[in-house]
Amino acid sequence: MKKIQKSTEPEKLTQYRQSSPTNTWKQCTGDKDRKVQIQNQLKLDQGGLCAYCEIDLRPANGEDAADFRVEHFHPKSDLSTQHNWHLDWQNLLACCHGGSRSDVVDFTSRHTSPDHSCDVPKGQNDWDNIILNPLHLPAFPCLFKFNRTDGSISANVTHCQQAGVDEGKAQATIDNLRLDSTRLRNLRKPVLDELNSQLRSMVSAGYSVEEARIRLTKTELKKDDHGNWPAFFSAIRSYLGSAAEQQLNTINYKG
């Protein structure tokens, strides 16, 4: 999970919310143009990554469905107050299907039912006080660390303390959203292995480890031509260490 910097609410959502303040998300997305505008802005804000696990949000391809859907961080079913969580722009996130669908793009690696993650175990639970909200994370430092040997994730206790974030809540985020699932480990590990292979090649060519990390940061930890971050951004960031932090500072990274 990484920091998400929200942009201004999409115009079509603003207009709909103001004209139909008590309507549901299903009613809102009944208009295709409005639905697409909201979805596109969410994906743009998040650099094309799932708000929780950071897998790349793949579009539909032929008969294969997109590995993407809109998630409500606070349950939209909550009727305990007058607030309409369905249409709250700050409550909307883009996420993957969490391994739950067999018809998505790249289903051989992305469908691992019942090994689910992200919003699937979350369901309609109100976890506002249990897990971290990606909108409220600090941009620096990275609150999670990753093990290259197996692709696992854990809370970076030192960084959590530096940022004033409860490390227990950071670990609860991993545990409850199942961000350390076997499927996600298996998807992260090749990314980290490839980085390690490139670093070793650079060192063999005469670069110091730090020089190699700096070069890798500049080529690997950046958005592509479509405005998308690389999948598993935080894992890459964690592996590249201080070189990544320096580069992200240089580009004024905010999320």
Side-chain angles (χ1 to χ4, degrees):
M1 183 187 287
K2 62 184 287 297
K3 168 72 175 177
I4 293 174
Q5 187 78 10
K6 274 281 193 181
S7 64
T8 303
E9 181 181 49
E11 182 181 3
K12 291 184 184 297
L13 176 58
T14 302
Q15 294 172 345
Y16 185 79
R17 182 174 49 77
Q18 291 174 346
S19 65
S20 307
T22 62
N23 278 13
T24 66
W25 175 247
K26 184 176 181 179
Q27 290 171 316
C28 175
T29 54
D31 180 273
K32 183 177 180 181
D33 289 343
R34 181 166 53 241
K35 178 181 180 180
V36 170
Q37 184 184 75
I38 295 170
Q39 291 179 336
N40 286 345
Q41 192 59 59
L42 286 171
K43 287 184 282 188
L44 182 63
D45 287 353
Q46 295 175 204
L49 303 184
C50 173
Y52 296 137
C53 73
E54 299 182 26
I55 198 171
D56 50 329
L57 298 170
R58 296 280 181 88
N61 184 13
E63 295 182 357
D64 294 335
D67 194 8
F68 161 76
R69 63 179 164 201
V70 176
E71 144 81 340
H72 291 73
F73 184 81
H74 184 90
K76 60 183 183 291
S77 58
D78 181 7
L79 302 177
S80 62
T81 68
Q82 294 295 314
H83 188 83
N84 187 356
W85 296 101
H86 286 259
L87 306 181
D88 184 344
W89 173 237
Q90 297 299 316
N91 195 41
L92 305 182
L93 299 170
C95 72
C96 68
H97 284 291
S100 66
R101 286 184 55 169
S102 60
D103 61 344
V104 296
V105 173
D106 295 339
F107 65 90
T108 53
S109 59
R110 291 177 178 240
H111 172 239
T112 51
S113 189
D115 180 21
H116 298 154
S117 67
C118 304
D119 75 327
V120 182
K122 180 172 173 288
Q124 290 298 312
N125 292 303
D126 179 358
W127 286 352
D128 290 14
N129 296 318
I130 297 175
I131 66 173
L132 298 173
N133 185 328
L135 271 62
H136 302 154
L137 297 184
F140 296 90
C142 182
L143 302 182
F144 304 98
K145 59 184 178 180
F146 301 81
N147 188 327
R148 185 187 64 80
T149 61
D150 61 6
S152 61
I153 177 177
S154 58
N156 188 319
V157 174
T158 300
H159 286 182
C160 286
Q161 292 173 347
Q162 290 174 356
V165 174
D166 181 356
E167 61 264 30
K169 196 170 186 179
Q171 188 60 48
T173 301
I174 295 171
D175 296 340
N176 285 279
L177 296 177
R178 301 205 70 247
L179 301 182
D180 199 32
S181 68
T182 299
R183 172 176 49 84
L184 291 174
R185 284 190 179 202
N186 290 341
L187 288 166
R188 284 190 295 256
K189 187 178 185 305
V191 173
L192 297 174
D193 284 344
E194 174 60 23
L195 279 174
N196 189 63
S197 176
Q198 291 184 51
L199 184 140
R200 290 171 65 90
S201 294
M202 288 181 180
V203 171
S204 296
Y207 293 101
S208 69
V209 172
E210 187 60 23
E211 288 172 337
R213 288 184 185 274
I214 291 171
R215 284 177 171 267
L216 280 172
T217 295
K218 292 179 178 180
T219 59
E220 303 299 323
L221 205 59
K222 64 179 184 179
K223 289 184 175 180
D224 64 18
D225 294 339
H226 301 289
N228 296 326
W229 290 112
F232 305 117
F233 171 93
S234 295
I236 298 172
R237 179 182 182 180
S238 174
Y239 176 82
L240 293 173
S242 60
E245 302 309 293
Q246 292 169 15
Q247 175 64 12
L248 291 173
N249 263 312
T250 298
I251 65 174
N252 197 27
Y253 169 76
K254 295 183 182 300

